[in-house]
Amino acid sequence: MIAVIIRIALRYGAGILVARGLLGAGDAAALSADPDIQMALETGIGLAVSLATEAWYALARKFPWSK
């Protein structure tokens, strides 16, 4: 079970590093300074993660991955 948690944490870490590489310093400053943008990003990312999780679960149920 710990391997699964570590793998998930590493995937999130990789996503953060990719996002840091894609955003310039000015964009990052604008995103971190405005609380409305932060709230919108957090909500959007939360919805995207939950949608991806539910889609993956639906695929796992459709195919015999969950067994």
Side-chain angles (χ1 to χ4, degrees):
M1 182 67 179
I2 192 75
V4 174
I5 294 171
I6 291 172
R7 191 175 335 144
I8 291 169
L10 288 174
R11 284 183 184 162
Y12 281 117
I16 290 169
L17 289 175
V18 168
R20 278 188 66 119
L22 293 177
L23 293 176
D27 296 333
L31 292 176
S32 64
D34 191 0
D36 291 334
I37 293 176
Q38 286 179 353
M39 187 171 53
L41 282 174
E42 289 171 2
T43 303
I45 290 170
L47 289 173
V49 168
S50 65
L51 179 66
T53 303
E54 291 298 324
W56 189 262
Y57 180 72
L59 285 173
R61 297 283 292 174
K62 182 175 181 178
F63 300 107
W65 299 341
S66 63
K67 298 189 185 219

